[in-house]
Amino acid sequence: MTDTEAFLRTARQVVTDEARALDVLADSLDEHFAEAVHLILKATGRIIISGIGKSGHIGHKIAATLASTGTPAYFVHPAEASHGDLGMVSKGDVVLAISNSGEAPELANLLAFTRRFGIPLIGLSSKPESTLMKQADVHLLIPSMGEACGYGMVPSISTTLTLAMGDALAIALMKYRDFRPEDFRAFHPGGKLGARLSTVGDLMHTGDALPLVAANTPMSDALIEISQKGFGVAGVTDAQGQLSGIITDGDLRRHMDGLLDKTTEQVMTANPTTITPGALAEEAVAIMNDRKITSLFVVDEASSGQPLGLLHIHDCLRVGLG
């Protein structure tokens, strides 16, 4: 067997072992998981996550996932907790302590603090008879299936299961609270995810930037508006100020013969595709790609189709969409 074959065999075995362990975890979830969710939902404060070593690294991720999905959470290092950070834990909080063995000595002071002040404690461990689980009010038990290294030395299966349990908690809470994609915008304003969660209202052009002409405007004037505003389109409004049509490059080509003798109503495409300001910009990109257009007028349904803005495909491309 070559080195490459050996490496791949080991890698596949690790992934297979962890996948099987996740199946076992899924089958093992019971009413204790629901108890943990209910306990967190009742909390008036934050969810305090704590763990040492690899459990601590996983705890950081769980805290971040909870916080970004609508459940206020904070990671407290157990060693730092013994040197003043216990002051971060208060009435109304819920503590989620993580230890695969359930015997991490660094957690001792934190566990004692929760018992002394009546702070609810959720224990996450693979050892039901451990000190952590005996002290905990709610038990989240992960299957004890060894580690992928085969010697029980390298946290791998156990950390994968712990991470999955944390994700399950966060998403169960998210679903219960009806935390929607648009809610992510407040917690993920930057990066690719922030771009994906941008709304049309975040990116659209408004006010004097809008290329708008009234119905029956001579096309000579409409062409000036299209040229000055620089979007290659103009919206046509009726007497009530509602968007009744749109003039695009395609409309201009179709009516090239005698164009300057026509009015906007004679050239426009009636009932154009529009979008609302609260829609996700990603939805607007999908519409533009599907219709093979480069702009969408933004209308307010509450005002019966009055144009509020214009979104151009270049606006979406600038924030990483498209």
Side-chain angles (χ1 to χ4, degrees):
M1 180 184 297
T2 66
D3 288 344
T4 298
E5 291 171 335
F7 297 154
L8 290 175
R9 185 175 71 173
T10 298
R12 291 185 180 115
Q13 187 60 56
V14 169
V15 174
T16 298
D17 289 346
E18 294 192 357
R20 288 173 179 162
L22 287 169
D23 286 336
V24 174
L25 174 63
D27 291 338
S28 71
L29 293 174
D30 55 19
E31 67 277 2
H32 295 295
F33 180 84
E35 289 176 16
V37 174
H38 283 301
L39 189 62
I40 293 171
L41 287 170
K42 290 191 298 183
T44 57
R46 295 175 301 174
I47 311 308
I48 307 299
I49 318 292
S50 192
I52 195 73
K54 304 301 186 295
S55 293
H57 295 310
I58 298 298
H60 273 287
K61 193 275 180 186
I62 293 174
T65 300
L66 286 167
S68 69
T69 52
T71 299
Y74 191 82
F75 182 84
V76 172
H77 194 286
E80 297 295 338
S82 299
H83 295 276
D85 281 3
L86 280 174
M88 297 180 178
V89 186
S90 61
K91 288 282 190 180
D93 292 341
V94 171
V95 171
L96 171 60
I98 304 170
S99 172
N100 184 44
S101 68
E103 300 294 346
E106 293 85 356
L107 286 171
N109 288 331
L110 177 61
L111 300 187
F113 185 86
T114 65
R115 303 304 80 189
R116 184 180 309 126
F117 294 101
I119 296 170
L121 173 64
I122 300 172
L124 202 169
S125 174
S126 67
K127 305 298 187 224
E129 300 302 319
S130 63
T131 300
L132 169 60
M133 299 302 255
K134 288 178 179 178
Q135 295 293 324
D137 300 299
V138 176
H139 307 123
L140 291 179
L141 187 66
I142 60 173
S144 182
M145 300 185 66
E147 303 292 359
C149 65
Y151 303 108
M153 296 171 55
V154 181
S156 46
I157 291 176
S158 61
T159 48
T160 296
L161 294 177
T162 302
L163 181 62
M165 184 72 85
D167 287 342
L169 273 177
I171 294 173
L173 290 160
M174 178 183 109
K175 296 281 189 182
Y176 182 88
R177 291 186 167 117
D178 197 25
F179 194 85
R180 297 177 177 273
E182 53 267 28
D183 298 317
F184 277 96
R185 175 65 177 163
F187 299 102
H188 300 84
K192 184 67 174 178
L193 184 56
R196 289 184 57 199
L197 298 173
S198 297
T199 66
V200 170
D202 293 329
L203 305 179
M204 70 182 186
H205 301 270
T206 60
D208 292 338
L210 287 183
L212 295 174
V213 291
N216 290 321
T217 297
M219 279 305 301
S220 56
D221 293 338
L223 287 172
I224 293 173
E225 180 74 0
I226 292 172
S227 176
Q228 286 180 340
K229 298 302 171 64
F231 295 108
V233 299
V236 181
T237 57
D238 61 18
Q240 288 73 45
Q242 299 171 8
L243 187 71
S244 59
I246 187 172
I247 299 172
T248 67
D249 288 341
D251 296 313
L252 296 179
R253 288 193 295 271
R254 282 189 291 273
H255 296 86
M256 186 64 69
D257 187 21
L259 177 66
L260 296 182
D261 296 325
K262 295 182 171 66
T263 66
T264 51
E265 275 194 319
Q266 293 173 304
V267 174
M268 74 179 190
T269 296
N271 301 315
T273 300
T274 60
I275 197 165
T276 58
L280 290 179
E282 195 168 45
E283 178 186 347
V285 171
I287 292 173
M288 285 189 274
N289 287 337
D290 181 62
R291 302 293 179 90
K292 294 180 172 56
I293 57 179
T294 59
S295 299
L296 279 174
F297 271 95
V298 185
V299 300
D300 184 0
E301 291 178 344
S303 62
S304 302
Q306 187 163 356
L308 299 177
L310 177 74
L311 183 70
H312 194 277
I313 188 65
H314 289 165
D315 304 316
C316 301
L317 294 174
R318 274 194 293 270
V319 297
L321 296 174

